[in-house]
Amino acid sequence: MLEIDSVDTYYGSSQILHGTSLSVGEGEVVGLLGRNGMGKSTLVHTVAGLLKPRRGQVTFRGRRISSLAAERISRLGMSLVPQGHRIFPSLTVRENFRIASRRVGDRDWTADEVLEYFPALRERWSVPAGKLSGGQQQMLAMGRAMVCNGKLMLLDEPTEGLDPQTVGRMGEAIDELRRRGTSALLVEQKVGFTLERVDRALILSRGQVIYETDRPQLLRADTQTLRRLIGVSSAHEADGSRAIADENESPVG
Ligand SMILES: Nc1ncnc2c1ncn2[C@@H]1O[C@H](COP(=O)(O)OP(=O)(O)OP(=O)(O)O)[C@@H](O)[C@H]1O
Ligand SMILES: [Mg+2]
């Protein structure tokens, strides 16, 4: 489905990806973990065609796509849920869905099915997307990508800024995508959330894949490895401590 082969990506003169390689098989959901600033979003943008790699190749469904424009790549069946929820702010939730929607087969997602997972959007159906809360915009970005009905989803920290209940729904939506045979690259910081639902997991550090496992459940319990590679001692602690940190960050007075 997706092959990333020895990719080098730069911002100006600073090199972010260093010969990064990974693949996502047909129907496979692959988790990509890593601390802040390690190059996860840079990798996602390189795959989606928003950044051009200086060296290396990206192949999607058998086609070399590294030189194609992002729009072409999207039309080949790749959907991106960008970090920080990029939606059309002046369009209503309904219009955002309508523009994105591409339904071909009967197993494809309809807006109604998506709203089962994110009921908050139903209540805001006729509201301009720019007036939604950050979390609601995140749900909308996910919903748009779902009704796009692509072959591969690139999810860049889809749970960032969501309340715990909505994180749960996001997880269920990803599980259902997987059941329907959609491939996905799931970029996350929530270690437990990721390892419990992916087929394979990789860890990115300074633009290189430093660890890869096809037994994510084992890594979940491997406290030592988690601490060594991503600086947390357990998958649960990683998810929980982040939520607590977020709460503590809210301004007081
Ligand atoms: N537009 C940009 N111009 C220059 N440098 C950038 C730009 N965007 C990101 N970087 C740098 O590239 C590196 C990787 O950033 P990237 O956004 O890919 O990290 P990330 O792994 O997605 O982090 P996070 O978990 O915080 O989202 C960082 O050092 C960052 O400062
Ligand atoms: Mg990022």
Side-chain angles (χ1 to χ4, degrees):
M1 177 64 58
L2 178 73
E3 305 278 345
I4 303 169
D5 182 21
S6 311
V7 160
D8 289 353
T9 301
Y10 290 71
Y11 286 111
S13 61
S14 77
Q15 184 173 3
I16 308 299
L17 298 183
H18 299 262
T20 312
S21 299
L22 69 87
S23 67
V24 180
E26 183 97 39
E28 197 179 30
V29 175
V30 174
L32 184 67
L33 298 164
R35 298 194 222 185
N36 293 128
M38 290 301 164
K40 304 182 298 299
S41 295
T42 304
L43 182 65
V44 165
H45 291 164
T46 303
V47 172
L50 299 167
L51 287 171
K52 299 294 163 210
R54 209 172 278 185
R55 281 179 287 277
Q57 263 300 335
V58 182
T59 309
F60 177 51
R61 303 176 75 191
R63 284 179 71 160
R64 290 182 155 213
I65 58 166
S66 318
S67 59
L68 299 185
E71 249 178 55
R72 278 285 294 290
I73 297 173
S74 151
R75 268 186 272 124
L76 291 173
M78 190 188 295
S79 326
L80 167 66
V81 179
Q83 187 171 17
H85 38 80
R86 230 172 285 163
I87 39 82
F88 295 112
S90 61
L91 301 183
T92 64
V93 171
R94 183 197 322 117
E95 289 161 343
N96 264 279
F97 267 98
R98 203 187 51 217
I99 287 182
S101 187
R102 228 174 347 190
R103 193 155 181 261
V104 213
D106 19 296
R107 280 173 61 83
D108 283 350
W109 292 92
T110 63
D112 264 339
E113 285 173 324
V114 170
L115 293 172
E116 299 280 312
Y117 289 88
F118 305 114
L121 292 180
R122 198 188 290 278
E123 289 159 29
R124 312 284 279 161
W125 196 230
S126 303
V127 172
K131 296 200 170 156
L132 301 181
S133 74
Q136 290 165 345
Q137 291 189 22
Q138 184 66 36
M139 296 178 222
L140 178 56
M142 179 66 176
R144 281 175 45 102
M146 287 163 84
V147 297
C148 222
N149 289 299
K151 301 284 178 210
L152 174 76
M153 293 267 255
L154 301 174
L155 306 168
D156 194 353
E157 301 202 36
T159 64
E160 199 177 20
L162 298 182
D163 65 67
Q165 190 186 12
T166 309
V167 169
R169 293 238 176 79
M170 183 64 77
E172 287 165 18
I174 294 168
D175 295 343
E176 178 59 20
L177 279 162
R178 182 161 172 258
R179 276 193 289 276
R180 294 186 186 200
T182 308
S183 309
L185 181 64
L186 172 61
V187 171
E188 262 299 340
Q189 300 245 5
K190 291 189 169 64
V191 181
F193 175 91
T194 306
L195 295 178
E196 80 186 9
R197 58 178 35 91
V198 298
D199 298 297
R200 233 154 22 88
L202 301 109
I203 296 175
L204 195 70
S205 179
R206 299 175 201 278
Q208 290 184 313
V209 175
I210 54 161
Y211 183 87
E212 180 166 5
T213 178
D214 55 7
R215 315 277 296 274
Q217 290 293 349
L218 289 186
L219 176 60
R220 198 161 181 245
D222 186 349
T223 295
Q224 275 188 343
T225 304
L226 284 174
R227 179 178 293 154
R228 182 166 54 85
L229 298 176
I230 27 188
V232 297
S233 57
S234 85
H236 292 291
E237 183 189 313
D239 292 355
S241 61
R242 191 169 158 91
I244 291 162
D246 286 350
E247 271 167 32
N248 289 343
E249 271 162 23
S250 30
V252 203

